[in-house]
Amino acid sequence: MSIRCAYVPQLLMPKEGTDLSKWAVVACDQYTSQPEYWEEAEKIVGDAPSALRLILPESNLESPDCSAYIDEIHAAMQKYMEDGTLVQLPAGVVLLARDTGGAAPRRGLVLAFDLDTYEYAAGSASPIRPTEKTVVERIPPRLKVREGASVELPHIMLLIDDPERQIIEPLYERRAEFSKLYDVELMQGGGHLTGWYIPEGDETEKLLDKLAQLSNPAVFNKKYGITDNRAVLPYAVGDGNHSMATAKAYWEAIKATIPPEEWENHPARFVLAEVVNIHDESIVIEGIYRALFHVDAVDVLDAAKNFFGAHGAEVTITESVPVALPEGVQSFPFMAGTRTGYMVLQHSKWALPVAALQAFLDDYLAAHPAVKIDYIHGLDVLHELAAQPDSMGFELPNPAKEDLFRGVIFDGVLPRKTFSMGDAREKRFYMEARKIVK
C-alpha cells in the first residue's frame, strides 16, 4: 500500500509589482562565517519588501540581539499579511528551474509535506528521513523563530530516486503549458530562478499519484533488491534537515495543545519543500574527506585493524594502488606526512565506504580525546593538511547517486558529512511562503 506524504499547498507570493530580485534571498544557514554577504544583502534590499525580513540568518544566532531580531521577523510577517504584501494563491504546485551556470538547471517542485510522515531520530523508519544525523542541539534556537511565526518560507530540499525520470522531468518538458509565476535574476551571483504555477486539478492529482508510487512496497523492493521487510523510503532530506526537524518539533508541540480531530488539517502539520530528483543533471554529489590531527598514523591503522576485525571485516594495508578490487571490497587512500597508502576493507557490513570509515573514526576519537578531526572538500587541501607533522588524511570516493538511498535504507541515517550537494550560492533561495497558523 502506497503512503501519501505530499500535498498541494496554498502558497503565498509577493503581490504583483514586487521587485523579486530583492525579495528572494538565499537559505538562512549559508554564509554563516561571511557576515559581509548578509551586509551586502541588506544594502541590496534597502526598504523594499523582502524575504530577508522574514528569516534569521544563522550568522546572527549567537548575537546578543537575537531575541530582538526574532521579534522583528514576527512583526514583519504580520505586517506583510495585513498590508497585502503577501497574497494567497489558489491551491497549486510550483514547477521551478534554477540555473547557476552548471551543466543543466535544477528542476524541482514546491509541495507541502505531512510532518507526521517524517522522523529524524536515529533508527527512524518513516517515509521521509534525513540522509545524515540530526544534531538535536541545533533545533531549539531555530524553534524560537518558528514559534510565533505566522508564515514559513522553505529552504528544504527533498530528494527522490527516479532514475527513469518519470515524475519531474515530463512536467518540465511541458512547462510552456503552465503560467509563469516568476522569472528573476537572483542577487549576489545566485543565478536565475523561473517558476511555473500548476493549479490544483487533474495535473496535480497525476503528480501526487506518481509520487505515491515511490512508496509502493512492491515497486520499492524491486528497485533496491530487498527481500526482507524494510520500511520504504520515498523521500530523503538532501538539504535543510534541521529546518524540517524544527518544523516537526513545532508541530509536535502544537499537537499536544489541540484535540486529535483538529490534527488532520492544521496548517502546522505541513511543511513546504522543494522536491528534486537525485538523478537531475544539476545535482553533483561530492565526497567529503577526513583529516586527523595530533595522531600517529601507525596507531590509527592498527586501531582500524582491531575495530573492523571486531565487526567481522578484514583490513589490509598496502602501499600500492589496489587494482580490480572484487565487488564489495572498500578501499581508502590515506596519507600521513610523506607516507601514502591504502586501507583495504573486505567483508564490510556497511553498504557505503563513508559509513564504514566514520564508524571507525567515531570509535577512535572517543578513545583519543586529544585527536581532532576536520571535514575537507578539496583534495589539494587534504594533501596539504596531511603533510603536516602528526596529521593524517583519508580520501573517500564520491558517493554514487543511487547509493545514497541505498545507504540510508541499509545502513540507517548516514554519518555526518557524508556528502556535499552544491556550494552556498546554489542553495535554495526563498521565494514562496505558506501560512502555518489558523
Side-chain angles (χ1 to χ4, degrees):
M1 180 179 176
S2 299
I3 302 168
R4 185 173 182 184
C5 303
Y7 291 79
V8 177
Q10 275 202 296
L11 297 171
L12 296 166
M13 282 292 295
K15 66 182 178 182
E16 189 174 349
T18 301
D19 185 345
L20 296 181
S21 69
K22 296 182 179 182
W23 172 265
V25 293
V26 78
C28 65
D29 58 349
Q30 300 304 307
Y31 302 102
T32 55
S33 299
Q34 296 167 266
E36 63 274 12
Y37 178 93
W38 294 103
E39 291 166 5
E40 181 62 21
E42 284 283 354
K43 292 177 184 177
I44 292 169
V45 167
D47 295 329
S50 177
L52 185 61
R53 306 295 167 226
L54 309 181
I55 65 161
L56 179 66
E58 294 193 359
S59 57
N60 292 330
L61 277 178
E62 304 300 324
S63 168
D65 298 324
C66 188
S67 293
Y69 291 150
I70 294 172
D71 289 342
E72 290 173 4
I73 289 166
H74 293 161
M77 289 177 175
Q78 197 64 32
K79 176 179 181 295
Y80 284 179
M81 291 293 293
E82 291 175 353
D83 68 9
T85 298
L86 282 171
V87 178
Q88 185 161 280
L89 304 181
V93 173
V94 175
L95 167 71
L96 65 85
R98 173 76 178 283
D99 190 350
T100 54
R106 184 181 79 231
R107 294 157 289 192
L109 293 166
V110 177
L111 291 154
F113 287 85
D114 184 354
L115 287 164
D116 279 346
T117 64
Y118 161 76
E119 295 288 347
Y120 56 81
S124 166
S126 58
I128 307 175
R129 273 172 259 166
T131 49
E132 298 183 352
K133 181 180 178 182
T134 305
V135 182
V136 294
E137 292 80 10
R138 293 179 62 182
I139 296 175
R142 292 156 179 78
L143 192 56
K144 291 178 182 177
V145 180
R146 199 165 183 93
E147 291 170 342
S150 54
V151 303
E152 67 167 359
L153 296 95
H155 72 258
I156 301 161
M157 284 178 56
L158 297 184
L159 300 174
I160 58 173
D161 185 7
D162 179 24
E164 303 300 323
R165 294 171 168 80
Q166 296 178 335
I167 299 174
I168 300 174
E169 291 80 358
L171 286 173
Y172 182 74
E173 291 302 315
R174 296 172 46 218
R175 60 192 181 279
E177 299 176 22
F178 310 120
S179 61
K180 191 174 286 186
L181 188 60
Y182 48 78
D183 192 352
V184 59
E185 194 72 16
L186 301 172
M187 66 172 69
Q188 302 199 70
H192 199 89
L193 181 65
T194 311
W196 297 266
Y197 175 71
I198 307 175
E200 185 174 35
D202 290 344
E203 201 69 68
T204 58
E205 278 304 306
K206 292 174 186 175
L207 168 63
L208 295 181
D209 286 344
K210 286 183 178 181
L211 288 169
Q213 277 299 302
L214 295 171
S215 66
N216 181 299
V219 174
F220 178 81
N221 291 346
K222 182 179 180 182
K223 179 189 292 185
Y224 298 106
I226 294 171
T227 57
D228 56 7
N229 188 28
R230 290 183 185 267
V232 297
L233 180 66
Y235 301 96
V237 186
D239 238 341
N241 181 61
H242 288 90
S243 177
M244 192 156 186
T246 300
K248 174 73 170 182
Y250 177 68
W251 166 232
E252 292 298 329
I254 294 290
K255 280 172 74 174
T257 66
I258 60 175
E261 57 267 25
E262 294 184 21
W263 292 358
E264 184 175 356
N265 296 311
H266 196 286
R269 175 174 174 165
F270 302 90
V271 67
L272 278 183
E274 177 185 342
V275 182
V276 179
N277 184 7
I278 196 170
H279 299 280
D280 191 282
E281 291 84 355
S282 70
I283 301 296
V284 178
I285 305 295
E286 297 177 335
I288 301 176
Y289 311 129
R290 272 62 174 158
L292 302 177
F293 307 98
H294 313 302
V295 294
D296 177 81
V298 173
D299 184 66
V300 172
L301 296 173
D302 286 343
K305 291 178 182 178
N306 293 333
F307 174 83
F308 288 116
H311 289 273
E314 180 183 340
V315 170
T316 303
I317 307 300
T318 176
E319 307 300 320
S320 59
V321 180
V323 178
L325 289 173
E327 185 176 350
V329 175
Q330 298 168 349
S331 172
F332 305 93
F334 69 84
M335 58 224 70
T338 58
R339 181 185 179 186
T340 60
Y342 298 82
M343 184 172 73
V344 181
L345 183 60
Q346 300 183 67
H347 314 302
S348 172
K349 73 174 188 177
W350 292 274
L352 294 186
V354 65
L357 181 62
Q358 192 64 46
F360 159 62
L361 292 177
D362 286 343
D363 182 79
Y364 188 82
L365 290 166
H368 299 79
V371 175
K372 303 301 179 186
I373 188 170
D374 199 2
Y375 300 90
I376 308 300
H377 291 266
L379 196 56
D380 54 343
V381 177
L382 181 72
H383 288 174
E384 181 180 332
L385 293 173
Q388 298 174 4
D390 304 319
S391 301
M392 185 176 189
F394 284 98
E395 293 182 33
L396 280 162
N398 290 340
K401 290 183 175 183
E402 56 270 20
D403 282 348
L404 284 183
F405 273 77
R406 188 173 296 278
V408 176
I409 293 164
F410 290 98
D411 290 341
V413 174
L414 301 175
R416 63 190 179 280
K417 303 294 184 181
T418 292
F419 66 95
S420 173
M421 200 172 70
D423 61 27
R425 71 184 183 87
E426 295 173 312
K427 301 299 182 180
R428 198 171 201 285
F429 269 59
Y430 299 109
M431 177 62 79
E432 306 86 357
R434 187 182 70 90
K435 284 181 64 177
I436 58 173
V437 295
K438 285 195 169 183

